[in-house]
């Protein structure tokens, strides 16, 4: 199996992840739209905060940006509009990325995620 076989289907997320500002902007737009439907919103936000933390190593940022980029893509393996199943692929990609870099997602990232959810996504984006 060629090493490129592991990334089949993820190319759009990989390209998007290279544009950090686009990821940042599009992340908040999509999160506002779907946050009430996401059982993994806190983990997603913690990963986001870790990915944009200047103290986070580059390889960790890359892994997390790829997962966040996959979340914001308008198309994916399982359409997000499907009840109950729509975000399972997003959750799986995020869980895999978090498992790979779990030691780098700090309590500060998790605290920021909880605080953002508590104050509301519009306010969290404004303080970003």
């Amino acid at each position: 199996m060629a090493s490129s076989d592991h990334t089949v289907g993820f190319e759009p997320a990989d390209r998007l992840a290279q544009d950090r500002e686009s990821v940042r902007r599009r992340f908040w737009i999509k999160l506002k739209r779907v946050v009430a439907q996401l059982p993994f919103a806190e983990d997603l936000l913690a990963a986001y905060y870790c990915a944009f933390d200047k103290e986070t190593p580059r390889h960790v940022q890359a892994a997390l940006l790829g997962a966040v980029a996959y979340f914001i893509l308008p198309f994916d393996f399982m359409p997000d509009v499907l009840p109950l199943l729509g975000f399972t692929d997003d959750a799986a990609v995020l869980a895999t990325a978090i498992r790979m870099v779990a030691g780098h997602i700090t309590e500060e990232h998790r605290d920021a995620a909880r605080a953002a959810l508590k104050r509301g996504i519009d306010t969290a984006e404004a303080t970003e």
Side-chain angles (χ1 to χ4, degrees):
M1 181 185 303
S3 64
S4 64
D5 291 345
H6 297 291
T7 61
V8 171
F10 291 97
E11 294 88 355
D14 290 341
R15 282 192 302 275
L16 178 59
Q18 293 175 16
D19 182 0
R20 295 169 62 88
E21 283 310 307
S22 180
V23 169
R24 188 183 297 267
R25 185 181 67 257
R26 292 170 66 180
F27 173 81
W28 290 107
I29 291 168
K30 182 162 184 183
L31 187 64
K32 283 181 205 178
R33 203 173 62 240
V34 301
V35 70
Q37 304 165 5
L38 291 179
F40 57 92
E42 185 178 314
D43 288 330
L44 178 62
L45 273 164
Y48 173 87
Y49 286 126
C50 183
F52 284 97
D53 184 343
K54 289 177 176 52
E55 301 298 316
T56 301
R58 286 276 189 223
H59 70 281
V60 174
Q61 287 179 344
L64 293 175
L65 281 170
V68 170
Y70 185 81
F71 167 74
I72 64 176
L73 285 173
F75 56 89
D76 51 22
F77 292 122
M78 185 79 62
D80 295 338
V81 296
L82 292 176
L84 302 175
L85 298 175
F87 291 106
T88 55
D89 60 328
D90 301 280
V93 169
L94 179 65
T96 301
I98 287 175
R99 245 182 263 122
M100 289 171 37
V101 299
H104 295 280
I105 298 177
T106 66
E107 196 54 41
E108 289 80 19
H109 299 136
R110 294 204 174 277
D111 288 344
R114 283 189 287 274
L117 289 171
K118 187 174 182 178
R119 30 174 219 276
I121 297 304
D122 289 329
T123 306
E125 179 188 14
T127 61
E128 174 48 24

